[in-house]
């Protein structure tokens, strides 16, 4: 299930199930979107990206979906493993802000044994 | 292997002192690098864009005189937190581009 903590919402998923992490972005002019994984005490790790002219992109065990109509991004992780436990951030590149990468709020993924 | 390194990985300092954090691009000549700050259980907030050979570009609300950025070479950018106070305690992260981030520096100001 999904719950909202003090700052970061948490998604709890059974090991082996698929995880779906959602993100709403703010700028309709953004042309590029990225998902990052951040483990405790470490910097963000690039997972997968998608450009605004696409609505779906697949990687190894991960799929990103983009719905520009409602400004929504999702990350699907297949067959979730204990090593997937982390905080996941979506990020967008603002075309009118010197191509800076702006991070969304983040979701903590908790894997249940 | 890592393409962006940061030093130190953690630092504890007394209030009022200045702390310098280094960010190195190990395999890429970076004309720009990005500095972020992350408070516990929060997202990364972009502080500034470091430009090699010229002034950094600061985000709104970030004090340029407090957070001094120097990008003297294509492989090194530094962030100096001047006259640090406890509210500056945070996790500081640099990035080379959207793909490669440093491991972060944990600053604790007593």
């Amino acid at each position: 299930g999904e719950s909202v903590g003090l700052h970061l919402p948490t998604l709890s998923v059974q090991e082996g199930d698929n995880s779906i992490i959602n993100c709403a972005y703010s700028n309709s002019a953004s042309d590029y979107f990225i998902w990052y994984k951040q483990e405790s005490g470490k910097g963000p790790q690039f997972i997968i990206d998608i450009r605004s002219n696409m609505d779906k992109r697949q990687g190894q065990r991960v799929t990103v979906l983009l719905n520009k109509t409602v400004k929504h991004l999702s990350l699907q992780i297949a067959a979730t493993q204990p090593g997937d436990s982390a905080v996941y951030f979506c990020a967008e590149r603002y075309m009118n802000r010197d191509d800076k990468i702006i991070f969304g709020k983040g979701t903590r993924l908790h894997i249940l044994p | 292997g890592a393409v962006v390194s940061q030093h130190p990985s953690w630092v504890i300092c007394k209030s009022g002192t200045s702390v310098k954090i280094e960010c190195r691009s190990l395999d890429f000549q970076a004309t720009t690098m990005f500095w972020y700050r992350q408070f516990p259980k929060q997202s990364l907030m972009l502080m500034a864009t470091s430009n090699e050979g010229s002034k950094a570009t600061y985000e709104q609300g970030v004090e340029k005189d407090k957070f001094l950025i120097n990008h003297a070479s294509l492989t090194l950018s530094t962030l100096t937190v001047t006259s640090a106070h406890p509210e500056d305690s945070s996790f500081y992260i640099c990035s080379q581009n959207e793909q490669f981030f440093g491991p972060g520096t944990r600053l604790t100001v007593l």
Side-chain angles (χ1 to χ4, degrees):
Chain A
E2 187 170 327
S3 64
V4 178
L6 186 60
H7 293 289
L8 285 175
T10 298
L11 177 65
S12 296
V13 174
Q14 205 76 39
E15 183 179 347
D17 286 353
N18 296 336
S19 301
I20 300 176
I21 302 171
N22 296 303
C23 175
Y25 64 92
S26 56
N27 189 344
S28 57
S30 294
D31 68 335
Y32 178 62
F33 305 88
I34 309 148
W35 279 100
Y36 295 96
K37 173 185 180 182
Q38 186 181 30
E39 295 174 296
S40 181
K42 297 183 179 180
Q45 176 188 351
F46 177 98
I47 301 173
I48 191 168
D49 59 359
I50 187 167
R51 299 196 180 277
S52 58
N53 61 352
M54 304 172 69
D55 53 21
K56 181 178 179 179
R57 188 156 189 245
Q58 287 184 294
Q60 189 175 17
R61 267 201 321 121
V62 294
T63 301
V64 55
L65 299 177
L66 174 63
N67 185 331
K68 294 183 288 296
T69 303
V70 295
K71 293 191 286 188
H72 184 268
L73 200 63
S74 70
L75 176 70
Q76 300 177 6
I77 303 174
T80 311
Q81 304 169 356
D84 295 328
S85 288
V87 177
Y88 290 81
F89 293 97
C90 65
E92 59 187 303
R93 183 172 66 189
Y94 282 22
M95 285 182 70
N96 57 356
R97 286 187 62 180
D98 301 323
D99 292 341
K100 295 168 188 172
I101 302 297
I102 304 298
F103 281 71
K105 293 189 186 304
T107 298
R108 179 176 300 282
L109 180 62
H110 176 61
I111 312 302
L112 302 168
Chain B
V3 296
V4 180
S5 69
Q6 284 184 238
H7 178 81
S9 55
W10 60 269
V11 56
I12 301 172
C13 70
K14 292 182 179 179
S15 187
T17 60
S18 295
V19 174
K20 180 186 283 188
I21 301 170
E22 293 184 349
C23 176
R24 292 185 184 274
S25 176
L26 300 178
D27 67 346
F28 182 78
Q29 292 188 324
T31 55
T32 57
M33 297 185 84
F34 303 92
W35 285 97
Y36 294 83
R37 179 169 54 180
Q38 185 178 30
F39 292 109
K41 297 186 179 181
Q42 294 190 24
S43 186
L44 281 74
M45 296 296 295
L46 180 65
M47 298 176 68
T49 302
S50 167
N51 302 301
E52 189 267 335
S54 65
K55 292 181 180 179
T57 306
Y58 290 83
E59 293 299 298
Q60 192 172 8
V62 178
E63 299 175 58
K64 62 180 181 181
D65 295 329
K66 179 168 182 63
F67 298 99
L68 301 179
I69 290 174
N70 184 281
H71 194 151
S73 78
L74 290 171
T75 58
L76 175 63
S77 175
T78 61
L79 169 69
T80 301
V81 183
T82 62
S83 186
H85 290 284
E87 57 265 30
D88 298 322
S89 297
S90 190
F91 194 47
Y92 291 86
I93 306 167
C94 67
S95 76
Q96 175 179 291
N97 51 36
E98 69 276 3
Q99 285 215 8
F100 300 112
F101 285 73
T105 297
R106 173 77 57 195
L107 170 63
T108 302
V109 185
L110 302 177

